[in-house]
Amino acid sequence: MNASPTEDDDTASEAGSVNSCEEFISFESIRDPSTNLEHCICLSWPGIYDESYASSTDGDSIKSHINVSKELRRIKLTTLLEEDDIAPIFDGSRWAGTRLWNAAVRGIQYITGHLESKPAFLEHVSPDPNQRVTMLELGCGLGVPGMIYHLLGGNVVLTDQANILGQLEKNVGNNFPESLSSESTFCRDAHSIRAMPLSWSKEGISELLDQLNLSEIGFDIVLNCDCVFEPLYGKSWMPLNETINELLRINPQCVVITSVERRRGDNIDSFLEMMRGMEFVGHVEQVWKDDERKPVEIYVTRGISR
């Protein structure tokens, strides 16, 4: 079953999941009618259509489908925690990993050019225009931004803590069975998405890159959404910065996108201050901020040019 912790006003009222972003992604929460407990969510992305109906028709019958409206490609994600995961749910990260947060939606909106601020860097992130752009999502939770970017053509690695990876692996397998790679290494040419465990640290990211055979080139895009909220996650933003720093050391052309929802006591300012002082960080810029009651801020971090 899926349950959410009892929260006081400082967390519950300020840490709400998707609200104003629901319409954009056609968000739907699916609940058990007998218990009213959510067991999965469905969402879609504007302009990404389900092409399965076309592949099931031949030339003689295609005319009968001309007037059929295109169906948006739906992503269906279970939000149920396994029984063994329910007991420690109040550690914060496990429950948060079953929610889709505003910052995640805004983050992928920014990358795909749906916000007022346009990401001019995207045409320059891949060294070879014939190769797919690679994305690493840190602390991905449900992994929605990375899944959307995969549907748009990117090669994606979704990462989170090992103890909450089961749900993520299940959702990736159910939604993208054709894109799962049996290879341990990462091939830029093959369209793939995978879920992998990662504990934030210089050593942790180095081990992950070694497993993927990316230790010399790293990733084109690194995304982290709503990974900084000290009352819930403690000072995990410190090893997050160490991870980002190492990724920029390996690939200074990498674009790191940080999308955060501001909340009371979040300590995001300390996270940003530390990031700006990291050895291989060249520039941190706020590129977007909304005006809603729960404002989301988006930052782009670049490395030091060689």
Side-chain angles (χ1 to χ4, degrees), residues 125-163:
V125 295
S126 180
D128 185 343
N130 297 316
Q131 292 183 330
R132 295 181 183 275
V133 175
T134 61
M135 173 189 281
L136 172 68
E137 187 174 356
L138 301 171
C140 70
L142 289 174
V144 169
M147 292 180 184
I148 296 297
Y149 198 70
H150 173 70
L151 286 176
L152 292 169
N155 280 351
V156 176
V157 176
L158 304 170
T159 63
D160 214 316
Q161 301 174 67
N163 61 1

mmCIF file of all heavy atoms in Angstrom, residues 125-163:
data_model
loop_
_atom_site.group_PDB
_atom_site.id
_atom_site.type_symbol
_atom_site.label_atom_id
_atom_site.label_comp_id
_atom_site.label_asym_id
_atom_site.label_seq_id
_atom_site.Cartn_x
_atom_site.Cartn_y
_atom_site.Cartn_z
ATOM 1 N N VAL A 125 25.476 20.443 -26.613
ATOM 2 C CA VAL A 125 25.891 19.550 -25.534
ATOM 3 C C VAL A 125 26.499 18.244 -26.043
ATOM 4 O O VAL A 125 27.310 17.636 -25.363
ATOM 5 C CB VAL A 125 24.718 19.222 -24.579
ATOM 6 C CG1 VAL A 125 24.261 20.473 -23.865
ATOM 7 C CG2 VAL A 125 23.572 18.548 -25.321
ATOM 8 N N SER A 126 26.107 17.781 -27.215
ATOM 9 C CA SER A 126 26.636 16.521 -27.730
ATOM 10 C C SER A 126 27.780 16.786 -28.690
ATOM 11 O O SER A 126 27.651 17.576 -29.617
ATOM 12 C CB SER A 126 25.537 15.722 -28.442
ATOM 13 O OG SER A 126 26.060 14.507 -28.947
ATOM 14 N N PRO A 127 28.912 16.137 -28.500
ATOM 15 C CA PRO A 127 30.059 16.369 -29.373
ATOM 16 C C PRO A 127 29.851 15.881 -30.797
ATOM 17 O O PRO A 127 30.539 16.321 -31.709
ATOM 18 C CB PRO A 127 31.180 15.588 -28.678
ATOM 19 C CG PRO A 127 30.474 14.528 -27.892
ATOM 20 C CD PRO A 127 29.190 15.173 -27.434
ATOM 21 N N ASP A 128 28.927 14.969 -30.993
ATOM 22 C CA ASP A 128 28.674 14.410 -32.322
ATOM 23 C C ASP A 128 27.190 14.523 -32.626
ATOM 24 O O ASP A 128 26.369 13.897 -31.951
ATOM 25 C CB ASP A 128 29.124 12.949 -32.370
ATOM 26 C CG ASP A 128 29.007 12.343 -33.770
ATOM 27 O OD1 ASP A 128 28.291 12.925 -34.608
ATOM 28 O OD2 ASP A 128 29.635 11.295 -34.003
ATOM 29 N N PRO A 129 26.788 15.297 -33.646
ATOM 30 C CA PRO A 129 25.364 15.469 -33.944
ATOM 31 C C PRO A 129 24.678 14.172 -34.370
ATOM 32 O O PRO A 129 23.450 14.091 -34.379
ATOM 33 C CB PRO A 129 25.368 16.493 -35.088
ATOM 34 C CG PRO A 129 26.731 16.390 -35.696
ATOM 35 C CD PRO A 129 27.649 16.061 -34.562
ATOM 36 N N ASN A 130 25.462 13.156 -34.717
ATOM 37 C CA ASN A 130 24.888 11.875 -35.130
ATOM 38 C C ASN A 130 24.683 10.927 -33.956
ATOM 39 O O ASN A 130 24.168 9.824 -34.138
ATOM 40 C CB ASN A 130 25.795 11.211 -36.178
ATOM 41 C CG ASN A 130 25.893 12.034 -37.450
ATOM 42 O OD1 ASN A 130 24.893 12.537 -37.950
ATOM 43 N ND2 ASN A 130 27.112 12.169 -37.973
ATOM 44 N N GLN A 131 25.103 11.341 -32.773
ATOM 45 C CA GLN A 131 24.927 10.518 -31.586
ATOM 46 C C GLN A 131 23.824 11.092 -30.701
ATOM 47 O O GLN A 131 23.599 12.298 -30.673
ATOM 48 C CB GLN A 131 26.228 10.428 -30.786
ATOM 49 C CG GLN A 131 27.319 9.651 -31.487
ATOM 50 C CD GLN A 131 28.562 9.515 -30.631
ATOM 51 O OE1 GLN A 131 28.862 10.372 -29.813
ATOM 52 N NE2 GLN A 131 29.288 8.424 -30.817
ATOM 53 N N ARG A 132 23.171 10.215 -29.980
ATOM 54 C CA ARG A 132 22.109 10.645 -29.079
ATOM 55 C C ARG A 132 22.685 11.384 -27.873
ATOM 56 O O ARG A 132 23.741 11.031 -27.370
ATOM 57 C CB ARG A 132 21.293 9.444 -28.600
ATOM 58 C CG ARG A 132 20.532 8.732 -29.716
ATOM 59 C CD ARG A 132 19.728 7.573 -29.169
ATOM 60 N NE ARG A 132 19.060 6.834 -30.229
ATOM 61 C CZ ARG A 132 17.879 7.162 -30.749
ATOM 62 N NH1 ARG A 132 17.247 8.219 -30.266
ATOM 63 N NH2 ARG A 132 17.340 6.452 -31.711
ATOM 64 N N VAL A 133 21.959 12.408 -27.423
ATOM 65 C CA VAL A 133 22.351 13.127 -26.219
ATOM 66 C C VAL A 133 22.127 12.216 -25.016
ATOM 67 O O VAL A 133 21.120 11.512 -24.926
ATOM 68 C CB VAL A 133 21.548 14.435 -26.077
ATOM 69 C CG1 VAL A 133 21.859 15.121 -24.755
ATOM 70 C CG2 VAL A 133 21.845 15.364 -27.247
ATOM 71 N N THR A 134 23.058 12.235 -24.082
ATOM 72 C CA THR A 134 22.951 11.393 -22.899
ATOM 73 C C THR A 134 22.557 12.230 -21.690
ATOM 74 O O THR A 134 23.012 13.362 -21.526
ATOM 75 C CB THR A 134 24.288 10.683 -22.604
ATOM 76 O OG1 THR A 134 25.312 11.651 -22.357
ATOM 77 C CG2 THR A 134 24.694 9.803 -23.771
ATOM 78 N N MET A 135 21.704 11.668 -20.861
ATOM 79 C CA MET A 135 21.256 12.350 -19.641
ATOM 80 C C MET A 135 21.408 11.425 -18.443
ATOM 81 O O MET A 135 21.036 10.240 -18.505
ATOM 82 C CB MET A 135 19.794 12.787 -19.742
ATOM 83 C CG MET A 135 19.235 13.348 -18.427
ATOM 84 S SD MET A 135 17.458 13.630 -18.429
ATOM 85 C CE MET A 135 17.390 15.174 -19.334
ATOM 86 N N LEU A 136 21.911 11.985 -17.365
ATOM 87 C CA LEU A 136 21.938 11.320 -16.074
ATOM 88 C C LEU A 136 21.004 12.077 -15.150
ATOM 89 O O LEU A 136 21.148 13.292 -14.974
ATOM 90 C CB LEU A 136 23.360 11.333 -15.505
ATOM 91 C CG LEU A 136 23.521 10.833 -14.055
ATOM 92 C CD1 LEU A 136 23.240 9.338 -13.964
ATOM 93 C CD2 LEU A 136 24.923 11.149 -13.528
ATOM 94 N N GLU A 137 20.029 11.373 -14.559
ATOM 95 C CA GLU A 137 19.158 12.018 -13.581
ATOM 96 C C GLU A 137 19.543 11.534 -12.192
ATOM 97 O O GLU A 137 19.566 10.330 -11.918
ATOM 98 C CB GLU A 137 17.684 11.743 -13.859
ATOM 99 C CG GLU A 137 16.785 12.560 -12.935
ATOM 100 C CD GLU A 137 15.294 12.457 -13.257
ATOM 101 O OE1 GLU A 137 14.925 11.812 -14.246
ATOM 102 O OE2 GLU A 137 14.513 13.032 -12.470
ATOM 103 N N LEU A 138 19.862 12.481 -11.320
ATOM 104 C CA LEU A 138 20.284 12.188 -9.954
ATOM 105 C C LEU A 138 19.094 12.277 -9.006
ATOM 106 O O LEU A 138 18.286 13.200 -9.109
ATOM 107 C CB LEU A 138 21.360 13.186 -9.510
ATOM 108 C CG LEU A 138 22.637 13.234 -10.346
ATOM 109 C CD1 LEU A 138 23.497 14.415 -9.906
ATOM 110 C CD2 LEU A 138 23.419 11.930 -10.215
ATOM 111 N N GLY A 139 19.005 11.330 -8.072
ATOM 112 C CA GLY A 139 17.907 11.358 -7.103
ATOM 113 C C GLY A 139 16.568 11.421 -7.784
ATOM 114 O O GLY A 139 15.710 12.227 -7.428
ATOM 115 N N CYS A 140 16.347 10.542 -8.747
ATOM 116 C CA CYS A 140 15.237 10.717 -9.696
ATOM 117 C C CYS A 140 13.871 10.368 -9.139
ATOM 118 O O CYS A 140 12.856 10.775 -9.712
ATOM 119 C CB CYS A 140 15.508 9.907 -10.959
ATOM 120 S SG CYS A 140 15.395 8.119 -10.716
ATOM 121 N N GLY A 141 13.774 9.593 -8.047
ATOM 122 C CA GLY A 141 12.456 9.208 -7.547
ATOM 123 C C GLY A 141 11.700 8.383 -8.574
ATOM 124 O O GLY A 141 12.140 7.306 -8.985
ATOM 125 N N LEU A 142 10.568 8.885 -9.044
ATOM 126 C CA LEU A 142 9.792 8.192 -10.070
ATOM 127 C C LEU A 142 10.461 8.263 -11.443
ATOM 128 O O LEU A 142 10.121 7.495 -12.337
ATOM 129 C CB LEU A 142 8.387 8.783 -10.154
ATOM 130 C CG LEU A 142 7.450 8.476 -8.983
ATOM 131 C CD1 LEU A 142 6.142 9.254 -9.130
ATOM 132 C CD2 LEU A 142 7.154 6.981 -8.879
ATOM 133 N N GLY A 143 11.354 9.215 -11.632
ATOM 134 C CA GLY A 143 12.101 9.272 -12.891
ATOM 135 C C GLY A 143 11.370 9.878 -14.063
ATOM 136 O O GLY A 143 11.747 9.654 -15.213
ATOM 137 N N VAL A 144 10.349 10.679 -13.804
ATOM 138 C CA VAL A 144 9.522 11.213 -14.897
ATOM 139 C C VAL A 144 10.308 12.094 -15.870
ATOM 140 O O VAL A 144 10.195 11.916 -17.083
ATOM 141 C CB VAL A 144 8.296 11.965 -14.332
ATOM 142 C CG1 VAL A 144 7.579 12.753 -15.435
ATOM 143 C CG2 VAL A 144 7.343 10.969 -13.684
ATOM 144 N N PRO A 145 11.121 13.067 -15.407
ATOM 145 C CA PRO A 145 11.848 13.887 -16.390
ATOM 146 C C PRO A 145 12.724 13.054 -17.322
ATOM 147 O O PRO A 145 12.740 13.277 -18.539
ATOM 148 C CB PRO A 145 12.681 14.820 -15.510
ATOM 149 C CG PRO A 145 11.923 14.914 -14.234
ATOM 150 C CD PRO A 145 11.353 13.544 -14.031
ATOM 151 N N GLY A 146 13.466 12.092 -16.758
ATOM 152 C CA GLY A 146 14.310 11.248 -17.591
ATOM 153 C C GLY A 146 13.514 10.405 -18.562
ATOM 154 O O GLY A 146 13.933 10.188 -19.705
ATOM 155 N N MET A 147 12.358 9.914 -18.132
ATOM 156 C CA MET A 147 11.507 9.126 -19.032
ATOM 157 C C MET A 147 11.009 9.976 -20.194
ATOM 158 O O MET A 147 10.972 9.519 -21.349
ATOM 159 C CB MET A 147 10.329 8.540 -18.250
ATOM 160 C CG MET A 147 10.722 7.478 -17.235
ATOM 161 S SD MET A 147 9.273 6.839 -16.347
ATOM 162 C CE MET A 147 10.071 5.731 -15.166
ATOM 163 N N ILE A 148 10.608 11.209 -19.900
ATOM 164 C CA ILE A 148 10.163 12.107 -20.960
ATOM 165 C C ILE A 148 11.302 12.373 -21.941
ATOM 166 O O ILE A 148 11.120 12.327 -23.167
ATOM 167 C CB ILE A 148 9.652 13.440 -20.376
ATOM 168 C CG1 ILE A 148 8.415 13.211 -19.505
ATOM 169 C CG2 ILE A 148 9.361 14.450 -21.490
ATOM 170 C CD1 ILE A 148 7.216 12.668 -20.240
ATOM 171 N N TYR A 149 12.500 12.630 -21.408
ATOM 172 C CA TYR A 149 13.626 12.920 -22.289
ATOM 173 C C TYR A 149 13.979 11.706 -23.143
ATOM 174 O O TYR A 149 14.386 11.845 -24.303
ATOM 175 C CB TYR A 149 14.840 13.371 -21.477
ATOM 176 C CG TYR A 149 15.856 14.090 -22.330
ATOM 177 C CD1 TYR A 149 15.588 15.359 -22.832
ATOM 178 C CD2 TYR A 149 17.068 13.498 -22.661
ATOM 179 C CE1 TYR A 149 16.499 16.020 -23.642
ATOM 180 C CE2 TYR A 149 17.989 14.150 -23.461
ATOM 181 C CZ TYR A 149 17.692 15.408 -23.949
ATOM 182 O OH TYR A 149 18.598 16.061 -24.764
ATOM 183 N N HIS A 150 13.801 10.527 -22.600
ATOM 184 C CA HIS A 150 14.024 9.313 -23.386
ATOM 185 C C HIS A 150 13.017 9.225 -24.535
ATOM 186 O O HIS A 150 13.390 8.895 -25.668
ATOM 187 C CB HIS A 150 13.907 8.077 -22.496
ATOM 188 C CG HIS A 150 13.963 6.787 -23.254
ATOM 189 N ND1 HIS A 150 15.109 6.321 -23.867
ATOM 190 C CD2 HIS A 150 12.997 5.866 -23.531
ATOM 191 C CE1 HIS A 150 14.857 5.177 -24.467
ATOM 192 N NE2 HIS A 150 13.583 4.882 -24.273
ATOM 193 N N LEU A 151 11.756 9.524 -24.256
ATOM 194 C CA LEU A 151 10.744 9.497 -25.311
ATOM 195 C C LEU A 151 11.057 10.515 -26.406
ATOM 196 O O LEU A 151 10.669 10.335 -27.566
ATOM 197 C CB LEU A 151 9.357 9.786 -24.726
ATOM 198 C CG LEU A 151 8.710 8.659 -23.911
ATOM 199 C CD1 LEU A 151 7.395 9.134 -23.311
ATOM 200 C CD2 LEU A 151 8.490 7.425 -24.776
ATOM 201 N N LEU A 152 11.770 11.573 -26.052
ATOM 202 C CA LEU A 152 12.146 12.592 -27.028
ATOM 203 C C LEU A 152 13.441 12.250 -27.759
ATOM 204 O O LEU A 152 13.910 13.035 -28.579
ATOM 205 C CB LEU A 152 12.287 13.949 -26.330
ATOM 206 C CG LEU A 152 10.974 14.542 -25.801
ATOM 207 C CD1 LEU A 152 11.250 15.745 -24.906
ATOM 208 C CD2 LEU A 152 10.050 14.925 -26.950
ATOM 209 N N GLY A 153 14.016 11.079 -27.452
ATOM 210 C CA GLY A 153 15.166 10.624 -28.216
ATOM 211 C C GLY A 153 16.456 10.463 -27.447
ATOM 212 O O GLY A 153 17.449 9.975 -28.004
ATOM 213 N N GLY A 154 16.505 10.865 -26.187
ATOM 214 C CA GLY A 154 17.754 10.809 -25.430
ATOM 215 C C GLY A 154 18.040 9.440 -24.849
ATOM 216 O O GLY A 154 17.143 8.617 -24.656
ATOM 217 N N ASN A 155 19.320 9.206 -24.576
ATOM 218 C CA ASN A 155 19.748 8.025 -23.833
ATOM 219 C C ASN A 155 19.864 8.417 -22.369
ATOM 220 O O ASN A 155 20.583 9.355 -22.031
ATOM 221 C CB ASN A 155 21.088 7.509 -24.344
ATOM 222 C CG ASN A 155 20.937 6.684 -25.608
ATOM 223 O OD1 ASN A 155 19.824 6.366 -26.012
ATOM 224 N ND2 ASN A 155 22.041 6.347 -26.237
ATOM 225 N N VAL A 156 19.184 7.703 -21.492
ATOM 226 C CA VAL A 156 18.994 8.158 -20.121
ATOM 227 C C VAL A 156 19.391 7.090 -19.117
ATOM 228 O O VAL A 156 19.090 5.906 -19.286
ATOM 229 C CB VAL A 156 17.513 8.557 -19.894
ATOM 230 C CG1 VAL A 156 17.274 8.949 -18.446
ATOM 231 C CG2 VAL A 156 17.115 9.694 -20.836
ATOM 232 N N VAL A 157 20.070 7.537 -18.067
ATOM 233 C CA VAL A 157 20.338 6.700 -16.900
ATOM 234 C C VAL A 157 19.669 7.358 -15.702
ATOM 235 O O VAL A 157 19.981 8.501 -15.355
ATOM 236 C CB VAL A 157 21.848 6.534 -16.650
ATOM 237 C CG1 VAL A 157 22.078 5.733 -15.367
ATOM 238 C CG2 VAL A 157 22.518 5.840 -17.827
ATOM 239 N N LEU A 158 18.734 6.657 -15.094
ATOM 240 C CA LEU A 158 18.017 7.132 -13.921
ATOM 241 C C LEU A 158 18.685 6.554 -12.682
ATOM 242 O O LEU A 158 18.935 5.352 -12.618
ATOM 243 C CB LEU A 158 16.556 6.690 -13.965
ATOM 244 C CG LEU A 158 15.744 7.091 -15.203
ATOM 245 C CD1 LEU A 158 14.398 6.365 -15.208
ATOM 246 C CD2 LEU A 158 15.536 8.586 -15.245
ATOM 247 N N THR A 159 18.958 7.389 -11.699
ATOM 248 C CA THR A 159 19.637 6.889 -10.502
ATOM 249 C C THR A 159 18.944 7.352 -9.229
ATOM 250 O O THR A 159 18.371 8.432 -9.168
ATOM 251 C CB THR A 159 21.103 7.365 -10.442
ATOM 252 O OG1 THR A 159 21.153 8.804 -10.353
ATOM 253 C CG2 THR A 159 21.870 6.901 -11.666
ATOM 254 N N ASP A 160 19.016 6.484 -8.231
ATOM 255 C CA ASP A 160 18.544 6.815 -6.894
ATOM 256 C C ASP A 160 19.158 5.821 -5.931
ATOM 257 O O ASP A 160 19.927 4.938 -6.344
ATOM 258 C CB ASP A 160 17.013 6.809 -6.821
ATOM 259 C CG ASP A 160 16.480 7.863 -5.854
ATOM 260 O OD1 ASP A 160 17.057 7.988 -4.746
ATOM 261 O OD2 ASP A 160 15.507 8.561 -6.191
ATOM 262 N N GLN A 161 18.802 5.941 -4.664
ATOM 263 C CA GLN A 161 19.355 5.049 -3.657
ATOM 264 C C GLN A 161 18.951 3.603 -3.932
ATOM 265 O O GLN A 161 17.847 3.331 -4.405
ATOM 266 C CB GLN A 161 18.878 5.451 -2.267
ATOM 267 C CG GLN A 161 19.256 6.869 -1.866
ATOM 268 C CD GLN A 161 18.625 7.250 -0.551
ATOM 269 O OE1 GLN A 161 18.961 6.694 0.491
ATOM 270 N NE2 GLN A 161 17.701 8.194 -0.576
ATOM 271 N N ALA A 162 19.846 2.683 -3.602
ATOM 272 C CA ALA A 162 19.605 1.273 -3.885
ATOM 273 C C ALA A 162 18.344 0.758 -3.198
ATOM 274 O O ALA A 162 17.626 -0.082 -3.749
ATOM 275 C CB ALA A 162 20.814 0.447 -3.455
ATOM 276 N N ASN A 163 18.037 1.293 -1.995
ATOM 277 C CA ASN A 163 16.906 0.761 -1.237
ATOM 278 C C ASN A 163 15.549 1.200 -1.761
ATOM 279 O O ASN A 163 14.515 0.761 -1.255
ATOM 280 C CB ASN A 163 17.034 1.095 0.253
ATOM 281 C CG ASN A 163 17.064 2.597 0.517
ATOM 282 O OD1 ASN A 163 16.979 3.408 -0.398
ATOM 283 N ND2 ASN A 163 17.185 2.964 1.780
#
